[in-house]
Amino acid sequence: MPKITLHKLSSIAATAAAGLSVTETELNASAVVADLTLDNKSVQKVGGIVADKSGNIYVADEEQHIILKITEDGDINTFAGVAGSPGNNAALQSVAPATARFNAPKGLAMDNSGNLYVADSGNNQIRIVRPNGYVGVYAGNGAQTAGLVDASANPLQARFSNPVDVAVDNSGKLYICDQGNHAVRKIDGGYVETIAGNGSSGDSANSRASSLLPFCDTPTAIAVDALGNIYLNDDGNKTIKKIVPRGWIYRYSGGGNTGTSLGTEDTLNGISKAFTCSYTSLQFSSVDARGNLFVVDQVTGGKSRLVKVDRDGIPSNVVDFNAATTSRDGVLGVAVTPAQKLFITITTPAEAESSSSSSADSSSSSSGA
């Protein structure tokens, strides 16, 4: 079976920060924090990852419907949920971690108070795991009914459709990548509002638009920087969009599907190089303290790469598994910690693992002879 590992790139963080390619040799030499194995069962499908202030890493195990907690020393435990038991807890607000139920959890976010937010995609809810470990519903109705419904006072009256990622800013506002609604939602002080998208896929201008216009198609990830800028992986249009605090939405990086010619008034900096690049399948993302965005782009044949998108929207490869010579499939998730360390999850296919084991056995036999 495939193996998923969690890597810390702090030893080569300078390379990553500069947007220079990290070789597989360098990656092999870097610290492998943990093999994602729980109760002797390999974790098969992970979603988002996030870190707390103490350096602990949290991973959404989408297939086993649980949240994992991993220390920097590599200790791994179930943080919330029951492995292999999908389900829900209706609208309950104080559920013990061992009795909490998730359904294909994906994106994760951590606020400054230590609350962990979970995009509980199969339940059409946003869940919260509080610092005391107890789990509640943060937004979405108890019936898990899909829909595009905002709420003026009670977030439990709101409806979502396959929320796949979440991000939180320094003031505690939560942003949701509401994939089934092709929308971005915001929760602030109990209010749930749609700040971009209207339930329809598309890209009305493929450049600059006002709120509530259909500007995204199958969004896959969301991140927010220290200044409150929101970055959205608009996978259906193969672009990264940026929503600035004053509310305007821009195409930030990627040529998109239409090849629309953009003037400088439609872009943030008028740098055309940001719009001559291309993305294949945009996945999870994370942003560092300087506003650099790290994005997982799944390329071809299951391969993927980690891309750094600088503050001008120009991408460069950090880790690229698209080469035919690599034994790995690629990067699955990415997280920048509060201490500005870069963590990624990587998958290696079963056949590569078998080949590696056989080579090791052969080498061992030879040296024994």
Side-chain angles (χ1 to χ4, degrees):
M1 62 181 64
K3 183 175 81 170
I4 298 175
T5 52
L6 176 69
H7 289 248
K8 179 174 65 177
L9 298 188
S10 58
S11 60
I12 43 178
T15 302
L20 303 176
S21 180
V22 174
T23 67
E24 191 162 9
T25 300
E26 290 176 312
L27 190 63
N28 290 336
S30 70
V32 178
V33 178
D35 290 340
L36 297 193
T37 303
L38 189 67
D39 297 332
N40 297 318
K41 179 180 179 181
S42 177
V43 174
Q44 295 293 295
K45 189 175 183 182
V46 299
I49 61 177
V50 73
D52 65 19
K53 292 180 179 179
S54 299
N56 299 303
I57 304 297
Y58 301 82
V59 177
D61 184 340
E62 183 180 343
E63 185 175 79
Q64 296 192 77
H65 313 286
I66 55 177
I67 309 300
L68 303 173
K69 180 178 179 180
I70 307 167
T71 69
E72 281 204 63
D73 294 329
D75 293 331
I76 179 171
N77 293 285
T78 300
F79 184 62
V82 178
S85 297
N88 62 77
N89 300 108
L92 295 178
Q93 294 300 302
S94 187
V95 180
T99 56
R101 294 293 186 275
F102 301 92
N103 189 352
K106 293 186 177 178
L108 304 174
M110 178 80 69
D111 69 15
N112 292 329
S113 298
N115 294 297
L116 178 70
Y117 301 92
V118 182
D120 194 0
S121 64
N123 284 323
N124 297 311
Q125 292 178 328
I126 307 303
R127 309 288 290 282
I128 181 171
V129 187
R130 300 179 178 87
N132 63 7
Y134 279 78
V135 182
V137 177
Y138 191 70
N141 64 26
Q144 301 89 45
T145 307
L148 180 57
V149 178
D150 289 339
S152 60
N154 184 359
L156 299 186
Q157 295 176 349
R159 292 188 182 183
F160 305 90
S161 179
N162 189 30
V164 295
D165 199 17
V166 284
V168 62
D169 68 15
N170 288 331
S171 65
K173 297 183 183 70
L174 189 73
Y175 300 93
I176 299 151
C177 180
D178 193 3
Q179 187 175 91
N181 285 320
H182 307 284
V184 177
R185 317 288 292 278
K186 180 175 78 172
I187 304 177
D188 181 15
Y191 289 82
V192 181
E193 64 174 317
T194 302
I195 64 171
N198 67 357
S200 301
S201 63
D203 197 341
S204 58
N206 209 17
S207 52
R208 177 170 163 171
S210 62
S211 296
L212 304 181
L213 289 178
F215 79 102
C216 56
D217 185 348
T218 319
T220 52
I222 193 165
V224 59
D225 67 18
L227 300 177
N229 297 299
I230 302 165
Y231 303 87
L232 183 74
N233 287 357
D234 184 6
D235 185 54
N237 289 307
K238 309 306 176 191
T239 61
I240 299 170
K241 297 285 175 60
K242 183 174 184 177
I243 306 174
V244 298
R246 65 182 182 271
W248 286 106
I249 302 162
Y250 297 87
R251 191 204 299 189
Y252 183 61
S253 182
N257 292 323
T258 65
T260 304
S261 177
L262 298 179
T264 56
E265 72 279 2
D266 293 323
T267 67
L268 287 175
N269 299 308
I271 299 176
S272 60
K273 189 174 180 180
F275 309 111
T276 58
C277 62
S278 61
Y279 299 103
T280 304
S281 181
L282 293 161
Q283 304 297 316
F284 288 103
S285 62
S286 187
V287 63
D288 69 13
R290 296 183 177 181
N292 297 305
L293 187 68
F294 293 89
V295 182
V296 176
D297 182 30
Q298 192 169 24
V299 193
T300 57
K303 301 288 186 179
S304 64
R305 59 180 180 153
L306 177 67
V307 177
K308 175 200 160 190
V309 182
D310 69 17
R311 287 172 290 180
D312 290 323
I314 299 172
S316 55
N317 287 337
V318 176
V319 181
D320 188 2
F321 292 117
N322 195 36
T325 55
T326 182
S327 62
R328 296 182 170 104
D329 276 342
V331 184
L332 299 175
V334 56
V336 178
T337 74
Q340 299 306 294
K341 297 177 182 178
L342 188 65
F343 283 81
I344 57 176
T345 46
I346 294 176
T347 180
T348 303
E351 56 269 23
E353 282 298 295
S354 299
S355 175
S356 175
S357 298
S358 297
S359 298
D361 292 342
S362 175
S363 176
S364 175
S365 297
S366 297
S367 61

